[in-house]
Amino acid sequence: MSESTTMQPTTNPNKALWEKGDFTQIADTMRESGTALIAKLDVKPGMDVLDLGCGDGTTALPAARLGAKVLGVDIARNLVAAANKRIEEAGLTNITVQEGDASNLEGIPDESFDQVQTFFGAMFAPKPNDVAKEMVRVVRNGGRVVMGNWIPNDPTLVAQILKICSAYTPPPPEGFVSPMLWGLEDQVKERFVQAGIAPENISFERDTFIFYALYSPTTFLEKFRMYYGPTMNAFDAAEKNGKANELQRELSALFNSQNRSGNANTTSIPATFLLVKAVK
């Protein structure tokens, strides 16, 4: 085979998306809500917990601080490195974070965990039916899968960011399944039932994450523009079409109108999500 026709390694678009920016810049505003959410989930010392799409540990580290034995998995190499740095700085010895794909948890044995949790992580992995099957496969009988998923067309921040950005980006490839379908109860139930969970063991509630930062919503938007993969892609596409200023105006209006801090130099923005619990 000639040099010009040598096969190039296939790039995983999901991996590329989350390695493109630096999600730690956004995650820094999610720490308090991550800790509060884990505190409500009855995590106990000695529990085996898998945190999928863990990023730099927003919910994985709080679970470890409660005494659980935690494995974090994320597809982005830079976020795995950031998580391990935070673990080392915290002096935690009961948590490990490694690279991996939520749709194929190869190397993780069946029924290894009491709880599999994923907050705004595994929802972005392709092949959602495979994701559901893998989460159910690695959780023990009597254990549970817990997901936090953004809700399509919800009026709060993240759903609106993704909705606005999608209007500026090229249509997705054929066969693409929107991650936002994880925010629809019927879709979630169907996926987990196919993976072997009894329908009556699947429950839903609405909950809220607060993005909090000691800087303005305008600065917060700039972090999304510079560091959050989906927003970065939207601005790349908008700039090519001469619509970057239009996108900036839409997002600026969104961020500023949703700020609940009462102070233009502080950000406190709620985002509603679907909290899913599925008991095996």
Side-chain angles (χ1 to χ4, degrees), residues 6 61 66 121 139 144 155 161 177 198 200 204 215-216:
T6 301
L61 267 74
L66 289 175
V139 77
R144 66 180 179 177
I161 292 172
V177 180
E200 62 272 18
F204 304 94
Y215 48 71
S216 70

Side-chain angles (χ1 to χ4, degrees), residues 119-137:
F119 302 103
F120 328 117
M123 69 173 287
F124 288 101
K127 303 180 184 173
N129 289 329
D130 289 354
V131 172
K133 285 174 187 167
E134 283 290 81
M135 290 192 293
V136 172
R137 177 182 70 79

Side-chain angles (χ1 to χ4, degrees), residues 12-15 75 101-103 122-131 176-177 182:
N12 181 323
N14 194 46
K15 183 177 175 65
I75 199 164
D101 187 335
S103 58
M123 69 173 287
F124 288 101
K127 303 180 184 173
N129 289 329
D130 289 354
V131 172
F176 173 81
V177 180
W182 274 115

Side-chain angles (χ1 to χ4, degrees), residues 230-275:
T231 321
M232 294 168 74
N233 284 349
F235 273 103
D236 289 347
E239 279 164 8
K240 288 174 188 166
N241 297 323
K243 293 185 175 180
N245 289 338
E246 193 180 322
L247 175 56
Q248 178 76 23
R249 277 195 300 272
E250 276 200 70
L251 289 173
S252 181
L254 173 71
F255 276 65
N256 283 288
S257 68
Q258 299 221 1
N259 185 28
R260 300 289 179 264
S261 72
N263 179 342
N265 295 314
T266 304
T267 297
S268 178
I269 302 180
T272 303
F273 66 94
L274 183 67
L275 183 62

Side-chain angles (χ1 to χ4, degrees), residues 160-195:
Q160 289 301 308
I161 292 172
L162 295 171
K163 183 179 180 181
I164 289 167
C165 287
S166 70
Y168 289 84
T169 49
E174 191 177 344
F176 173 81
V177 180
S178 170
M180 299 302 285
L181 295 179
W182 274 115
L184 299 176
E185 293 182 15
D186 288 349
Q187 289 280 338
V188 176
K189 186 167 279 191
E190 183 179 312
R191 290 167 181 174
F192 277 122
V193 168
Q194 284 183 0

Side-chain angles (χ1 to χ4, degrees), residues 136 150 208 212 262:
V136 172
W150 302 123
T208 303
Y212 180 76

Side-chain angles (χ1 to χ4, degrees), residues 7-78:
M7 294 284 287
Q8 295 298 316
T10 305
T11 302
N12 181 323
N14 194 46
K15 183 177 175 65
L17 175 69
W18 297 107
E19 288 183 350
K20 180 173 184 173
D22 179 7
F23 188 73
T24 65
Q25 299 286 331
I26 312 299
D28 279 344
T29 70
M30 303 170 73
R31 304 297 186 210
E32 289 181 21
S33 281
T35 299
L37 176 58
I38 293 302
K40 293 191 291 187
L41 291 180
D42 202 27
V43 173
K44 291 184 166 61
M47 278 178 65
D48 291 307
V49 173
L50 172 65
D51 193 311
L52 277 182
C54 65
D56 68 347
T58 298
T59 50
L61 267 74
R65 288 191 180 104
L66 289 175
K69 293 177 283 183
V70 181
L71 173 63
V73 172
D74 200 277
I75 199 164
R77 186 183 296 111
N78 54 333

